[in-house]
Amino acid sequence: MLIERQWRVTMADVDAAGILYYASPLRWTEALLGDWLDRSGRSISSMLAANEATPAVGVQVRYLAPLGLDDHCRLCLSAQRIGKTSFTIRCTAWAPGDERVAVEVEVTHAFVSYVRQPGGGVALAKQARPPWLRQALECDSQALRKG
């Protein structure tokens, strides 16, 4: 596991009926990824300052059990696939009070360099994952294989 966090489902996470809003787990995944990158010594802001980024290129979300306002759940971020220029992470939200998976989010990210173009555009170029990212992801991937 890359990182784990306890999460309380807030008003920002639900719709008017108090039921989990479909896009909220994507925000949770982004928050965990940002925290993990920061703890790995490569905050998103430092990557952007170095003209590097990890844009999402694919997303899949599965809703397996209901979550609602003020539910306390456990979020876990893990590495799922490690490619040459991309990687896939999974954020699992565990339902409160038991060990049922409530939501799974898988996001594939590419590692890119970018250059700001005159006039406001951005040119992206896929890059091989840097050694620090490979090592951090492989540590989690090896733990998954052993577990």
Side-chain angles (χ1 to χ4, degrees):
M1 175 178 20
L2 299 171
I3 192 169
E4 180 176 350
R5 177 192 281 181
Q6 296 299 312
W7 191 270
R8 182 180 59 82
V9 178
T10 67
M11 285 294 293
D13 296 321
V14 299
D15 60 19
I19 299 168
L20 184 68
Y21 178 64
Y22 79 96
S24 293
L26 294 170
R27 190 170 34 84
W28 302 346
T29 304
E30 179 185 14
L32 287 178
L33 177 62
D35 287 352
W36 174 74
L37 287 168
D38 188 57
R39 289 183 186 178
S40 297
R42 298 290 200 276
S43 67
I44 292 173
S45 61
S46 70
M47 290 173 55
L48 294 174
N51 293 329
E52 301 172 332
T54 57
V57 296
V59 174
Q60 181 177 21
V61 184
R62 288 178 292 282
Y63 305 91
L64 305 167
L67 288 175
L69 183 60
D70 289 330
D71 280 347
H72 291 262
C73 55
R74 180 170 51 101
L75 305 178
C76 300
L77 188 73
S78 59
Q80 295 302 299
R81 187 192 60 78
I82 305 169
K84 183 178 177 184
T85 61
S86 65
F87 60 96
T88 302
I89 56 172
R90 176 183 290 158
C91 177
T92 305
W94 299 88
D98 61 29
E99 287 300 309
R100 289 182 304 149
V101 173
V103 181
E104 287 182 333
V105 179
E106 287 190 3
V107 182
T108 300
H109 293 268
F111 190 82
V112 301
S113 63
Y114 70 93
V115 177
R116 294 190 189 281
Q117 302 293 313
V122 175
L124 300 175
K126 280 189 177 181
Q127 300 292 317
R129 281 180 290 60
W132 69 266
L133 183 56
R134 175 189 301 267
Q135 291 168 356
L137 291 167
E138 285 179 350
C139 283
D140 188 53
S141 181
Q142 289 170 3
L144 285 172
R145 284 195 295 271
K146 290 178 184 175

